[in-house]
Amino acid sequence: QSVLTQPPSVSGAPGQRVTISCTGSSSNIGAGYDVQWYQRLPGTAPKLLIYANDNRPSGVPDRFSGSKSGTSASLAITGLQAEDEADYYCQSYDSSLRGVLFGGGTKLTVL
Amino acid sequence: QVQMVQSGAEVKKPGASVKVSCKASGYTFTSYGITWVRQAPGQGLEWMGWISGYNGNANYAQKLQGRVTMTTDTSTSTAYMELRSLKSDDTAVYYCARDRGVVVITGTLDYWGQGTLVTVSS
């Protein structure tokens, strides 16, 4: 099935570490396609956080990191800050759909 | 600096068409692709398709095949997305974004437009 599954929500206290998972299948992440992660702050356009699984664009703090293994990927955020409260989306190409898939999104709450 | 500036909000009736523009600046338009993404109220991001800024080749989401057309005008560095036979569930904010892939889709969307709200209502 061509979907990318994320937890609907995660939370953490300031300074803590949180991870957001993204589970795919053999037609997307498991097929070796790169995973990207986007951050969407309320009322703003999405922002590229991680590309090609574990690469940060210039300007993105090193508190954000990505990893990929098998049919899954993860985004880790360390030293959680109030400004990190946002929706996070994973994304990858899917060979069955012959197009790009976004995960359903995860709302991060900073307690 | 790279900028992607989209056209303004639209209100359309069911069955009508809408055409959203996305004017790019600050980079060589023909060296990148343009991806269109939408987000309906309370929903997640949905990939609509990609078009090459180099040769105009396009790849559309299967769900939208036959209703969507993406084009570019390299003389003005502008991309267009036309959606036809609009339905109420096409109500969404539509975004264009620069894709680092110019001949293939990479999904790496590094600059985004501000979004265009399209409301479909009778």
Side-chain angles (χ1 to χ4, degrees):
Chain A
Q1 192 175 3
S2 298
V3 295
L4 298 178
T5 301
Q6 299 181 233
S9 64
V10 297
S11 62
Q16 285 189 332
R17 177 181 188 270
V18 297
T19 61
I20 299 173
S21 61
C22 175
T23 303
S25 66
S26 58
S27 61
N28 42 68
I29 299 174
Y33 294 109
D34 285 340
V35 177
Q36 280 65 239
W37 289 90
Y38 297 87
Q39 176 193 58
R40 189 160 191 271
L41 297 167
T44 68
K47 171 188 173 182
L48 179 66
L49 271 187
I50 299 289
Y51 68 96
N53 308 316
D54 56 7
N55 294 277
R56 280 187 311 275
S58 62
V60 172
D62 60 6
R63 301 187 296 106
F64 295 89
S65 62
S67 63
K68 173 186 158 183
S69 178
T71 58
S72 295
S74 290
L75 173 71
I77 310 172
T78 59
L80 207 55
Q81 300 179 3
E83 67 209 47
D84 298 332
E85 191 160 284
D87 294 325
Y88 293 83
Y89 294 87
C90 62
Q91 179 235 53
S92 185
Y93 183 84
D94 188 279
S95 57
S96 295
L97 295 177
R98 297 182 185 178
V100 170
L101 271 179
F102 281 98
T106 298
K107 182 174 181 58
L108 169 63
T109 301
V110 180
L111 302 171
Chain B
Q1 73 283 20
V2 174
Q3 286 191 309
M4 317 289 284
V5 180
Q6 298 182 222
S7 49
E10 303 262 14
V11 179
K12 297 291 183 181
K13 293 192 182 305
S17 299
V18 69
K19 191 169 186 177
V20 180
S21 67
C22 170
K23 183 169 176 59
S25 61
Y27 72 95
T28 302
F29 186 79
T30 53
S31 296
Y32 294 83
I34 298 286
T35 284
W36 290 88
V37 173
R38 69 180 180 178
Q39 185 165 29
Q43 304 297 311
L45 300 175
E46 179 185 9
W47 181 81
M48 299 181 67
W50 165 93
I51 183 166
S52 168
Y54 173 67
N55 57 20
N57 286 347
N59 185 320
Y60 304 132
Q62 290 180 355
K63 172 183 175 181
L64 297 174
Q65 288 273 3
R67 286 208 300 138
V68 68
T69 301
M70 296 175 187
T71 56
T72 59
D73 181 345
T74 57
S75 68
T76 60
S77 299
T78 302
Y80 300 91
M81 185 284 299
E82 181 180 33
L83 189 60
R84 300 176 293 279
S85 302
L86 289 168
K87 301 173 279 191
S88 58
D89 59 5
D90 290 319
T91 294
V93 177
Y94 289 73
Y95 293 99
C96 65
R98 189 180 81 165
D99 190 314
R100 291 188 180 178
V102 65
V103 291
V104 293
I105 301 168
T106 66
T108 300
L109 310 177
D110 54 4
Y111 290 93
W112 293 66
Q114 81 276 20
T116 297
L117 175 62
V118 175
T119 303
V120 183
S121 173
S122 54

